[in-house]
Amino acid sequence: MKKALGILLILVLALMPATGLWAKDTIKVGVPLAMTGPYTDTGDNYWKGIKMAIDEINTAGGLLGKQLEPIRFDTQEFAPERVMQGADYLCGQIGVDSVHAGWAGWGQDVRAYGKYTAPFFADDGSQSAVDVFKQNKEEYKNIFQLTDTGINQAQSMFNVLMALPYEYPNKKAVIITADDAWGTEVGDTLEKNFKEKGWDVAMHELVPYGTNQWGPLLTKIRRIKPAIIHVEIVSAQEVITFFRQFMKRPTNSILSYGYSLVPREVVETMGKEADGLLGEVPTAMPTPEAPTPEAQAWLEKFETIWGHLPQAGSWAAYSGVKAWATAVEAVGDEKNHDAVSDYIATNGYKGETGWWKWDEDHVMRAGGDVPIAHYQVQDGVMVAIFTDPPTKPYKDYQFQVPRWIKQ
Amino acid sequence: MGGEQMLRVTNVTKKFGALTAVNNLSFEVRQGQVFGIAGPNGAGKSTVYNLITGLYDFKGTISFKDQDISGLPPHRIAKLGIARTFQIPQTFPSLTVEKSIEVGSYFGSRKGFDQNHVDQVLTFVNLSDMRGAPTGSLNLLQKKMLMIGAALATRPEILMLDEPMAGSNAKEIIQLMDLIRRINQDLGITIILIEHFMKVLTELTETLLILETGTEICCGDPQKVTSDPRVIECYLGDCDD
Amino acid sequence: MVIEITDVIISGLINGSVYALMAVGLTLIYGVSKAFNFAYGSFYSLGGYIAFLLFGLSFINNYFLVFVLAVPILLVFGFFVEKTLVAPLRKRDDWEIKVMMITLGLALFLDNSFQVIFGSRMKSLPPFLEGGFEAGDFYLSHQDVGIFFLSIGGILLFRWFLNNTRTGMSVRAVAQNPAGAQIVGIPKEFVFAATFAISTVMVGMGGILLAQKYFITPMGGWDILVKAWVITAFGGMGSIRGGLYAAFIVGMLEAFVGWYFGMTWTLIVLFAVLLTTLAVRPQGLLGKWG
Amino acid sequence: MDHKRITFLLALIWTIVAVLPLFFGGTNFIMHILIMCLIWSVVASCWDLIMGFAGIFSFGQVAFFVMGAYASAIISAQFSIPPIFAVFVAGGITAAIGILVGLPCLKLKGAYIALVTFAVHMILEPVLKGDIGRAMGTGGSRGLLTIEPMHIFGYTFTTASPVPYFYLMLLVAVLCSVIILVVIKSHWGTAFLALKDSQEFATCLGVSAFKYKLRVFALTSFLTGMMGGFYAHYVGMLSTRMLGIDLFVTLMVILVIGGVGKFPGAIIGAFITIAVNELLSPLGPYRPITMGAMVVILVLVLPDGIVGLFERLFSKKQHGMTH
Amino acid sequence: MIELVDVNACYQDFHVLKNVSLAVKKGQIVVMLGPNGHGKSTVLKSICGLVEKVSGLIRFEGETITGLGSEKLVGMGITYIAENRELFPQMSVLENLKLGAYSRSARAFEKENLEKVFDLFPRLRDRQSQLAATMSGGEARMLAIARGLMSNARFLAIDEPSLGLQPNLRDEVAKIIKQINGQGITLLVVEQNIPQITELADTLYVLEEGSISFEGSKEDARGNDHLKEIFLGM
């Protein structure tokens, strides 16, 4: 054991200088994502999209004739100083010409990367990030959000829940969210909406990550017998254990999982068991059938490369790279960061499903060609049944009343 | 003899679970005395020390110069003027000889830290040459001396020695006996002494208390005590020597 | 209301039984060798991953075979870790803190190795019992009942082992008086390593038992470590009976607090109770070995 | 190690650190890491003081750090106290909490103290995120996104130009290390060591275990909390992510590398650990594996850390240097 | 049966035994005397493999056993009975005794030895299920000796059996030691509070400052003024 560890250590030390060597004449692209810790998996989703875009550009001859070179940085758990370190490393030290992050820290990232000029694409989905942006739009003009805020996403979830072709037996709702920024933002918005529509939010619970004994909460739920249960914990373990324990003695409730339906394990682990669950993905590529032929082609390409359908964030991150590359082509100089940012802000980018337009807060607002897709698990596959806004059914896909609801 | 009363132990009992270590013990020590405590191993002698210095709680009362000290924490008792040593030499391996003595002077002395006094103590216990040495490098006798030195540095009125002679050879015993005499006579410190060597006790002490399983067997003049048949029977056995 | 409270009690009982299994293992190492194992949680995950790998083998199709194969693997692993990492430190004065440090390092190493080898995504095992008892609004799954009885059975088996086998008695002897154990010729070093190995098996089995219900994740062990630690201190470090009581108290407390006040309060209340207990009884509920 | 040698070593370390900006002043990334090194060196030294010197297994160091950070950020925002004062108020608050935590620990033994102090760490996250925290202004699970930057005499320190803040932190770190040195050197340090070596004898010589153990809790949590404040006003953002296991382990590694009870080992350890951690960063998930393996190997091979290694080399020539 | 040649022993940095040589013949009772803290217990522990740093030559029935651990030695028939008893407090008398027969060689004789021991200490038979922690000093001492006997030892090193004993029990201890010896077990006893035991001795050793300062019969010892002075103190 000791020996093995020693060998490992030596190997690592020997490898270290190698990572410091970069080929000349490339355009460096910063990729700060979680590579360790609890967010590794989401980091992976983004990376797959980013890598696909970079490879595509490189095989097509590069950008302005230069190859793109991703520089990765492990953001770990987005501790504030870690996020800052990432910005200082990628922009300050390496001098990358664009940064493609995913979930990057709810506003900390805006600060950290706003100091620099390289266009920065994040998938924060957070009102607080937008609030930080608004404090100094000029300084932060290189910041672009690839998805809409949690508030708007939650609004959209509510719209779809109300639009379902289904008659609720009562007007009682239960909301369970993780005690993180995303969870609370969604939970609070939903509660507000429910109350405005005259619903009774009989229970609104914050739970810590790692909760997987739902007995006490389910006991309460079984007494309440709500028409809707919304669970918003972006971690498969929690939502699967909740579902399984719920299913032991289900109530007549629609189960809405919001964004927490998307960690790949949820559907992959449960398969058809998950049939009936609802969820949403912002900046989404609806599946299994894409809205346009180009999008369908993209979907198929992604599946060939990675062996599975794209997860939340993959397409958004991919599009971020492509949007930046388009802007660089137009400006003709990757080093002219301000011009690139201005180009993106004013012209947007035409992607597989249509036009991407950032609003004045540099947020990719849901709607138009890039709506939020709402899914239901049907036959073990996530099927887009609605898009929003505006709220409308997606293609011919139908909402199915979950099997546990006895009418 | 006949000095003022310094320490009074009244009806003290200490139990450890089922074991009664000290059983309804009473005695008093007067100023300037050398007070001896003897008894077979496990008779509860060291426990008595631990009770006086506040390391354990107990039933009964102990008073020092008419002040009730039962229940006071050890450092308070030390500061009042009661110092002690331990049977198994306890030193501070992380500290040097001088630092160890300073601990007593700084924390235990009512007059506060006094470098001169530390120097005097070092000389008194014959350790001036070793002042910079770490305590781990000392031999057994030196460790004992150091322990006594640290205790003296607190400027105690009573010094309680726990088997200072254990592990010493004849020469060292004489040396230690001389030291104890000097502490008692030159420094005027009252001494309580736990010892196994009867000879030491009969030579040094004015009053001798014999303990047996936590109970007093006999207390008084050492010559008389050692000739008391009960003592001979319990402590010395019917030795035919 | 009655059904609700019954539900909560049952949930507390089942969790308590699993906690008990884990806590007994931790208290065992502490009681015998005074070593605190920070990698205990990682051993929990290790158990799960071993079972996951075993289920991947073609000839393995039931839990019985998995247990039969996993136990010796865990046993050897625990023994090896004690001998190579913990035992060499025992000679030092400050070995307690050094053991904490080295096991913390080991935890970091193991957890992240799991992540690299198995990916950060959770792994699941097939259920070992299907179905459940149903009576009106009341439901109790067979799996939970199975977990309860297997945990309790494991503890009883362990108790029997301690009280009735020669090795078990030697473990107790070392815990109560290492010097005395040496005098009667018990190989102390071996007993230290053996208890470490046994505790590894106990927590690893916990990992296998719970894998279906709560999944296996690389970092999943920390929660278990903290809970086992709290229970161990609460019950009195080194006291198996104390650990047993504490495990059920903690299980119940969690269930009731979660049900009544909300999930975020469970940890706060848990630690508040622990601190109060320790303030009154620094040695925990039941002091030494019982 | 004798005090002269510690003083010399400290002077050497700080001199080397003080000239580093000459080489790296232009690179924010490295300056930022250096500032973090300075902050962690103080936090780790405090931990060493309480764990290595006083022999109390306190695992609450990260918790005190985070408390100080939040306290300072909230105080400066809500009572508009200038950050430079707020950090000291935060230190005071943390010290008070430190004493509260220390009180139950006086009665407890090794592993129990570790648990109680770690319990504080574990509770802190739900408290800061929950209703209590939100009422105090912690921003709940979102954290604090706007913390007033440090300013003295009209000069504002920003993360955009970290060199001035580096020197401010260097000054603070030097002061803290001098405080720690003085404490170790003074009767405090003697009392800690005496209590650690033989509590019985020490108390019988008049050392109050109660007083000195509480004092060490108060002092270390004060300094740690204060550093938390400096951290908060420097980074400008705070969240409960700091309470993850990562930082705790990093601090532990610092002590392993520097040597427990080997001040100023913790300072050297901080610089080495943070540097190695950064160097390993490109390895992604292999970084924590390597760190873990390093801890395991170092504890076995170099149980007293780097300073212990030096000592061993020295004491071969010069007899009598006990640990 | 047991022979020590120039044995040295250390605890940490403290050199306790200096060139100790002694011999115990089969069937003998040898008694060792000397001031407290001069290393008597260390001699016994060194023989029984309970001291970490031992050098020199220790032989048992001609076989070199220096450096062997207690788990081996107990199996060979060498057992130590500690001055502070070292019982297992939370175990019953019976469990304590069973653990005394832990070694492989003693296991076969467990039942037989148990009977022997109960015959020797009838009181233990009545208290088989009592916890050791709740026993009085005298009973605990009996249990310690009994536990030592359970190991089926051929050589017993008994350390201060009188420690913590009431005076009236000392006769009994002496009697038991004689009985044990009568069963053919060789004994090395450290004891100076029980003259009856000294009386039983075939040979006396005196240990001072870690070295043997006297070796001889009890008659020789009586005539030796130095001995009288140092340990009888009169």
Side-chain angles (χ1 to χ4, degrees):
Chain A
M1 180 111 174
K2 255 200 249 176
K3 211 173 189 178
L5 293 181
I7 290 168
L8 183 75
L9 190 70
I10 290 164
L11 254 170
V12 162
L13 290 174
L15 279 173
M16 251 159 28
T19 55
L21 299 172
W22 294 291
K24 270 195 176 169
D25 233 27
T26 58
I27 298 175
K28 287 173 192 119
V29 176
V31 186
L33 290 172
M35 293 155 78
T36 56
Y39 305 106
T40 315
D41 219 50
T42 64
D44 230 37
N45 288 345
Y46 296 116
W47 170 242
K48 283 174 179 163
I50 294 166
K51 181 84 169 65
M52 182 172 158
I54 289 175
D55 288 349
E56 245 172 48
I57 293 168
N58 283 343
T59 30
L63 188 59
L64 303 177
K66 289 179 240 178
Q67 292 284 300
L68 294 183
E69 185 196 329
I71 311 288
R72 302 196 68 176
F73 180 87
D74 182 6
T75 47
Q76 297 168 15
E77 297 186 29
F78 320 130
E81 111 261 3
R82 190 71 201 166
V83 173
M84 218 164 93
Q85 240 161 312
D88 287 343
Y89 173 69
L90 294 171
C91 300
Q93 168 95 327
I94 308 282
V96 297
D97 291 315
S98 74
V99 181
H100 299 275
W103 237 17
W106 307 296
Q108 305 163 7
D109 47 344
V110 178
R111 278 274 167 72
Y113 289 91
K115 277 194 314 205
Y116 298 97
T117 52
F120 172 79
F121 296 86
D123 191 15
D124 289 338
S126 143
Q127 185 58 42
S128 39
V130 179
D131 292 342
V132 173
F133 181 88
K134 282 181 177 165
Q135 287 170 1
N136 192 344
K137 290 190 178 185
E138 190 47 39
E139 159 115 21
Y140 300 136
K141 72 175 193 179
N142 60 325
I143 308 295
F144 293 92
Q145 296 290 345
L146 292 167
T147 51
D148 208 341
T149 60
I151 291 180
N152 287 352
Q153 292 186 42
Q155 181 67 51
S156 170
M157 296 173 204
F158 182 77
N159 293 345
V160 171
L161 281 174
M162 290 302 119
L164 289 180
Y166 169 74
E167 196 164 324
Y168 291 106
N170 57 45
K171 284 196 159 193
K172 281 192 281 188
V174 163
I175 302 170
I176 300 168
T177 73
D179 60 346
D180 64 3
W182 166 257
T184 45
E185 195 170 321
V186 171
D188 292 346
T189 312
L190 279 174
E191 175 163 356
K192 203 184 92 211
N193 272 298
F194 275 120
K195 282 187 176 156
E196 274 169 11
K197 282 270 165 144
W199 280 61
D200 169 24
V201 178
M203 182 174 132
H204 184 169
E205 224 7 89
L206 287 186
V207 298
Y209 273 102
T211 302
N212 44 29
Q213 290 153 18
W214 299 97
L217 283 189
L218 284 169
T219 305
K220 270 201 248 179
I221 288 174
R222 282 168 193 145
R223 188 191 56 205
I224 296 166
K225 299 194 171 57
I228 296 177
I229 302 171
H230 185 91
V231 180
E232 193 68 55
I233 309 163
V234 190
S235 166
Q237 188 178 4
E238 287 83 345
V239 294
I240 297 178
T241 50
F242 178 86
F243 183 67
R244 289 207 167 137
Q245 289 167 36
F246 168 80
M247 284 305 286
K248 282 178 181 161
R249 203 155 48 80
T251 51
N252 283 342
S253 319
I254 295 288
L255 264 185
S256 160
Y257 265 17
Y259 190 66
S260 34
L261 186 64
V262 299
R264 192 147 62 91
E265 295 97 315
V266 179
V267 172
E268 208 164 81
T269 309
M270 294 203 287
K272 289 184 186 172
E273 186 191 342
D275 283 3
L277 285 171
L278 296 174
E280 61 102 39
V281 180
T283 318
M285 173 70 79
T287 51
E289 191 188 333
T292 62
E294 295 91 334
Q296 187 62 34
W298 185 87
L299 261 188
E300 279 157 17
K301 186 173 175 194
F302 187 96
E303 222 179 333
T304 338
I305 298 175
W306 302 111
H308 58 79
L309 281 173
Q311 298 305 300
S314 299
W315 186 58
Y318 169 90
S319 302
V321 178
K322 290 305 272 271
W324 165 75
T326 316
V328 169
E329 294 274 5
V331 170
D333 178 9
E334 80 277 5
K335 294 283 174 207
N336 192 350
H337 296 158
D338 283 354
V340 174
S341 293
D342 286 342
Y343 181 91
I344 299 168
T346 42
N347 296 310
Y349 145 78
K350 188 167 189 308
E352 291 75 14
T353 59
W355 275 99
W356 287 58
K357 291 280 189 185
W358 276 271
D359 78 345
E360 81 250 25
D361 293 331
H362 287 196
V363 179
M364 182 61 218
R365 295 291 178 191
D369 290 338
V370 190
I372 296 171
H374 293 267
Y375 297 84
Q376 184 175 39
V377 183
Q378 294 177 358
D379 212 17
V381 179
M382 274 170 67
V383 174
I385 50 168
F386 271 90
T387 55
D388 178 89
T391 316
K392 57 178 185 200
Y394 180 69
K395 296 199 180 242
D396 294 333
Y397 296 105
Q398 299 279 323
F399 167 76
Q400 294 170 355
V401 176
R403 65 186 184 284
W404 61 84
I405 291 183
K406 295 165 193 113
Q407 277 170 323
Chain B
M1 280 290 227
E4 276 174 52
Q5 175 200 310
M6 285 285 271
L7 186 78
R8 181 202 284 273
V9 172
T10 322
N11 300 332
V12 165
T13 300
K14 173 71 190 172
K15 286 183 178 168
F16 295 107
L19 182 84
T20 307
V22 175
N23 188 9
N24 200 27
L25 185 70
S26 301
F27 64 87
E28 60 176 72
V29 181
R30 283 186 301 281
Q31 183 164 24
Q33 255 193 324
V34 178
F35 185 93
I37 301 179
N41 281 341
K45 300 171 305 239
S46 295
T47 310
V48 172
Y49 272 24
N50 290 340
L51 302 185
I52 296 174
T53 51
L55 289 175
Y56 300 149
D57 55 353
F58 56 89
K59 274 192 218 144
T61 44
I62 296 176
S63 57
F64 174 66
K65 294 204 291 186
D66 292 331
Q67 183 191 347
D68 188 359
I69 59 167
S70 332
L72 287 186
H75 66 274
R76 293 274 303 280
I77 293 174
K79 203 118 187 176
L80 287 173
I82 299 178
R84 71 169 289 187
T85 65
F86 290 82
Q87 185 181 353
I88 298 160
Q90 301 220 17
T91 52
F92 306 124
S94 312
L95 301 179
T96 61
V97 168
E98 188 176 7
K99 271 274 172 218
S100 308
I101 305 268
E102 277 178 26
V103 171
S105 175
Y106 198 97
F107 298 98
S109 165
R110 281 144 297 162
K111 292 184 183 164
F113 177 69
D114 176 358
Q115 184 62 44
N116 285 335
H117 188 236
V118 170
D119 291 339
Q120 282 166 19
V121 168
L122 277 168
T123 319
F124 195 86
V125 295
N126 253 332
L127 287 171
S128 337
D129 301 340
M130 318 264 313
R131 61 195 324 158
T135 53
S137 64
L138 301 184
N139 66 29
L140 184 65
L141 182 70
Q142 286 167 329
K143 277 185 181 160
K144 283 186 194 163
M145 289 297 208
L146 177 61
M147 213 170 24
I148 295 174
L152 284 177
T154 67
R155 297 178 186 270
E157 291 185 51
I158 295 184
L159 175 63
M160 313 204 303
L161 301 168
D162 196 349
E163 292 206 31
M165 310 298 171
S168 306
N169 61 29
K171 220 166 72 193
E172 289 165 357
I173 289 177
I174 292 167
Q175 226 177 318
L176 281 165
M177 280 172 69
D178 177 55
L179 183 78
I180 294 169
R181 264 194 212 104
R182 277 163 54 214
I183 294 171
N184 182 239
Q185 284 160 15
D186 301 355
L187 304 179
I189 294 170
T190 311
I191 286 178
I192 306 179
L193 178 66
I194 292 178
E195 198 35 80
H196 260 294
F197 291 92
M198 270 302 162
K199 186 174 145 195
V200 172
L201 289 170
T202 47
E203 275 191 30
L204 281 178
T205 61
E206 293 163 32
T207 311
L208 183 56
L209 169 75
I210 308 285
L211 281 183
E212 169 73 57
T213 56
T215 318
E216 178 190 323
I217 295 283
C218 182
C219 184
D221 179 73
Q223 296 302 334
K224 274 190 206 141
V225 167
T226 45
S227 54
D228 187 310
R230 286 173 303 172
V231 174
I232 292 180
E233 204 233 326
C234 93
Y235 184 66
L236 306 167
D238 41 4
C239 187
D240 56 356
D241 262 345
Chain C
M1 197 66 178
V2 177
I3 286 186
E4 252 184 273
I5 290 178
T6 321
D7 258 4
V8 175
I9 288 175
I10 287 174
S11 152
L13 273 179
I14 289 165
N15 291 336
S17 70
V18 183
Y19 292 163
L21 187 68
M22 317 272 187
V24 163
L26 193 65
T27 209
L28 174 72
I29 337 176
Y30 188 83
V32 173
S33 64
K34 303 286 171 288
F36 187 82
N37 181 7
F38 252 102
Y40 197 65
S42 306
F43 294 175
Y44 167 86
S45 312
L46 181 72
Y49 281 117
I50 288 177
F52 173 77
L53 284 180
L54 289 173
F55 269 113
L57 299 174
S58 55
F59 62 92
I60 289 183
N61 50 11
N62 64 46
Y63 270 90
F64 178 73
L65 270 178
V66 169
F67 282 137
V68 166
L69 288 172
V71 167
I73 297 175
L74 288 165
L75 208 61
V76 169
F77 176 80
F79 197 86
F80 177 75
V81 166
E82 208 281 344
K83 278 288 176 205
T84 50
L85 302 187
V86 182
L89 297 174
R90 228 182 270 285
K91 291 190 196 84
R92 299 178 53 88
D93 289 342
D94 56 350
W95 70 276
E96 271 184 61
I97 187 72
K98 289 282 142 67
V99 168
M100 288 189 193
M101 284 176 160
I102 206 166
T103 47
L104 192 64
L106 181 69
L108 195 63
F109 178 82
L110 284 178
D111 287 353
N112 288 284
S113 302
F114 296 150
Q115 177 147 336
V116 168
I117 298 168
F118 298 99
S120 62
R121 302 178 47 209
M122 51 190 219
K123 298 280 178 273
S124 178
L125 298 181
F128 59 84
L129 284 172
E130 312 254 10
F133 307 106
E134 217 162 335
D137 265 352
F138 176 80
Y139 181 88
L140 183 59
S141 78
H142 289 149
Q143 171 103 3
D144 281 350
V145 177
I147 289 175
F148 180 83
F149 282 108
L150 279 175
S151 303
I152 297 296
I155 295 166
L156 289 178
L157 186 73
F158 178 65
R159 224 185 133 71
W160 175 87
F161 162 79
L162 278 187
N163 286 333
N164 297 299
T165 67
R166 197 166 280 274
T167 320
M169 272 168 71
S170 69
V171 168
R172 282 161 68 213
V174 173
Q176 291 177 21
N177 185 347
Q182 217 183 342
I183 286 169
V184 299
I186 294 169
K188 206 166 62 179
E189 301 294 324
F190 174 81
V191 169
F192 285 154
T195 45
F196 200 92
I198 293 170
S199 83
T200 307
V201 170
M202 290 178 91
V203 72
M205 294 309 265
I208 300 175
L209 274 183
L210 292 187
Q212 200 275 328
K213 209 173 165 197
Y214 301 142
F215 305 101
I216 317 154
T217 50
M219 307 288 159
W222 284 100
D223 201 36
I224 295 295
L225 173 73
V226 171
K227 291 242 170 79
W229 190 4
V230 168
I231 291 166
T232 309
F234 187 32
M237 286 205 175
S239 163
I240 288 186
R241 206 146 47 92
L244 215 59
Y245 294 155
F248 282 102
I249 294 174
V250 165
M252 286 294 178
L253 204 65
E254 266 188 358
F256 274 95
V257 170
W259 170 66
Y260 201 81
F261 297 103
M263 297 296 234
T264 39
W265 286 97
T266 49
L267 206 58
I268 299 177
V269 172
L270 205 61
F271 279 114
V273 170
L274 173 73
L275 291 186
T276 328
T277 311
L278 288 185
V280 183
R281 274 185 73 84
Q283 72 277 41
L285 283 182
L286 299 176
K288 288 241 86 184
W289 274 70
Chain D
M1 200 154 52
D2 62 14
H3 304 306
K4 268 187 204 146
R5 199 175 290 171
I6 297 181
T7 318
F8 170 74
L9 208 53
L10 268 181
L12 185 73
I13 296 167
W14 292 137
T15 315
I16 294 173
V17 172
V19 299
L20 287 178
L22 292 179
F23 306 100
F24 305 113
T27 320
N28 279 3
F29 173 64
I30 295 183
M31 288 315 295
H32 177 73
I33 292 173
L34 286 176
I35 290 173
M36 293 324 290
C37 284
L38 288 171
I39 291 176
W40 296 139
S41 70
V42 175
V43 176
S45 299
C46 285
W47 201 9
D48 191 32
L49 184 65
I50 193 165
M51 195 157 73
F53 279 88
I56 303 168
F57 290 176
S58 168
F59 279 16
Q61 215 58 20
V62 176
F64 290 131
F65 182 82
V66 173
M67 281 179 211
Y70 268 96
S72 187
I74 293 171
I75 290 167
S76 65
Q78 293 195 340
F79 305 99
S80 40
I81 296 174
I84 191 68
F85 297 118
V87 292
F88 294 106
V89 180
I93 294 172
T94 324
I97 299 172
I99 292 174
L100 276 181
V101 174
L103 273 172
C105 290
L106 292 175
K107 276 206 253 168
L108 302 174
K109 291 188 298 182
Y112 285 92
I113 297 180
L115 176 65
V116 168
T117 46
F118 197 64
V120 175
H121 180 130
M122 296 297 299
I123 294 181
L124 193 57
E125 185 168 341
V127 168
L128 287 176
K129 277 184 175 177
D131 300 337
I132 308 168
R134 262 183 263 182
M136 288 189 299
T138 61
S141 41
R142 180 169 302 152
L144 293 168
L145 291 172
T146 329
I147 299 170
E148 204 181 339
M150 185 66 72
H151 50 82
I152 307 174
F153 307 126
Y155 180 83
T156 306
F157 297 89
T158 60
T159 46
S161 51
V163 176
Y165 205 78
F166 171 83
Y167 280 108
L168 178 67
M169 286 330 297
L170 180 63
L171 180 72
V172 172
V174 169
L175 285 178
C176 288
S177 62
V178 169
I179 290 173
I180 292 172
L181 179 64
V182 167
V183 165
I184 292 174
K185 202 172 172 175
S186 73
H187 59 276
W188 277 44
T190 315
F192 295 155
L193 291 176
L195 284 170
K196 188 175 73 168
D197 284 348
S198 168
Q199 180 154 344
E200 267 190 351
F201 189 35
T203 52
C204 286
L205 288 176
V207 184
S208 165
F210 185 77
K211 194 162 88 183
Y212 285 95
K213 285 188 173 174
L214 275 193
R215 276 190 186 177
V216 74
F217 264 105
L219 176 74
T220 54
S221 45
F222 177 85
L223 292 181
T224 309
M226 186 185 77
M227 289 321 280
F230 277 112
Y231 169 88
H233 294 291
Y234 167 60
V235 177
M237 292 168 277
L238 264 185
S239 74
T240 51
R241 301 256 174 247
M242 312 267 328
L243 289 164
I245 204 75
D246 217 53
L247 179 55
F248 182 79
V249 173
T250 308
L251 278 176
M252 186 69 108
V253 176
I254 290 176
L255 282 196
V256 171
I257 291 179
V260 180
K262 302 280 175 202
F263 187 78
I267 297 174
I268 304 173
F271 279 88
I272 295 179
T273 311
I274 305 292
V276 169
N277 215 351
E278 277 321 310
L279 284 174
L280 295 180
S281 203
L283 295 176
Y286 292 94
R287 176 190 57 88
I289 297 185
T290 318
M291 288 297 266
M294 256 171 58
V295 172
V296 170
I297 294 168
L298 284 176
V299 171
L300 285 177
V301 181
L302 217 63
D304 287 318
I306 287 188
V307 175
L309 181 73
F310 285 146
E311 274 179 14
R312 235 189 302 165
L313 294 177
F314 267 109
S315 66
K316 267 182 193 157
K317 291 175 219 156
Q318 199 181 327
H319 179 70
M321 297 303 301
T322 54
H323 54 247
Chain E
M1 185 159 192
I2 284 273
E3 192 184 355
L4 275 70
V5 184
D6 287 340
V7 168
N8 285 273
C10 301
Y11 285 116
Q12 284 152 4
D13 297 332
F14 193 48
H15 197 169
V16 184
L17 297 186
K18 295 155 196 159
N19 298 327
V20 170
S21 299
L22 60 80
V24 184
K25 293 205 181 73
K26 202 173 166 70
Q28 273 192 334
I29 298 181
V30 171
V31 173
M32 187 155 39
L33 307 167
N36 277 350
H38 278 213
K40 288 168 298 179
S41 296
T42 310
V43 172
L44 302 194
K45 287 183 181 170
S46 299
I47 297 172
C48 300
L50 297 163
V51 180
E52 247 173 59
K53 287 186 206 160
V54 186
S55 59
L57 183 68
I58 306 177
R59 267 202 294 241
F60 176 65
E61 296 180 330
E63 197 177 326
T64 305
I65 57 165
T66 325
L68 291 185
S70 60
E71 62 263 26
K72 283 238 173 66
L73 297 176
V74 173
M76 292 167 74
I78 301 174
T79 296
Y80 174 70
I81 296 174
E83 57 181 329
N84 41 7
R85 308 189 278 264
E86 305 286 11
L87 297 172
F88 307 116
Q90 297 301 317
M91 290 199 209
S92 69
V93 168
L94 190 64
E95 282 176 314
N96 267 284
L97 290 176
K98 278 187 170 171
L99 278 169
Y102 179 85
S103 74
R104 205 169 292 272
S105 56
R107 254 169 249 184
F109 302 96
E110 190 181 300
K111 281 223 175 82
E112 194 185 323
N113 283 334
L114 206 55
E115 276 312 306
K116 268 193 205 166
V117 162
F118 282 149
D119 288 344
L120 211 54
F121 305 102
R123 225 169 343 162
L124 294 182
R125 193 196 296 272
D126 308 333
R127 303 191 170 206
Q128 284 182 44
S129 53
Q130 191 181 343
L131 285 189
T134 62
M135 301 183 95
S136 74
E139 291 162 347
R141 170 64 58 196
M142 299 303 159
L143 180 55
I145 296 174
R147 190 183 69 182
L149 289 171
M150 288 297 293
S151 71
N152 211 31
R154 283 172 293 152
F155 171 80
L156 274 182
I158 309 180
D159 204 352
E160 300 230 27
S162 76
L163 201 63
L165 275 196
Q166 276 159 357
N168 52 0
L169 286 174
R170 288 181 186 160
D171 269 342
E172 206 173 317
V173 170
K175 227 181 280 166
I176 284 162
I177 285 186
K178 198 173 174 184
Q179 274 176 311
I180 293 172
N181 185 241
Q183 292 175 1
I185 297 173
T186 312
L187 296 173
L188 174 57
V189 186
V190 166
E191 182 55 74
Q192 49 195 357
N193 289 330
I194 310 183
Q196 297 95 313
I197 292 180
T198 319
E199 281 305 304
L200 293 171
D202 294 300
T203 314
L204 279 175
Y205 283 95
V206 176
L207 193 75
E208 274 185 279
E209 292 178 66
S211 306
I212 301 284
S213 64
F214 172 87
E215 176 188 354
S217 67
K218 43 194 181 263
E219 289 75 22
D220 296 343
R222 279 210 186 94
N224 191 318
D225 288 340
H226 171 65
L227 289 188
K228 258 191 196 171
E229 191 191 354
I230 62 147
F231 92 91
L232 297 170
M234 297 253 148

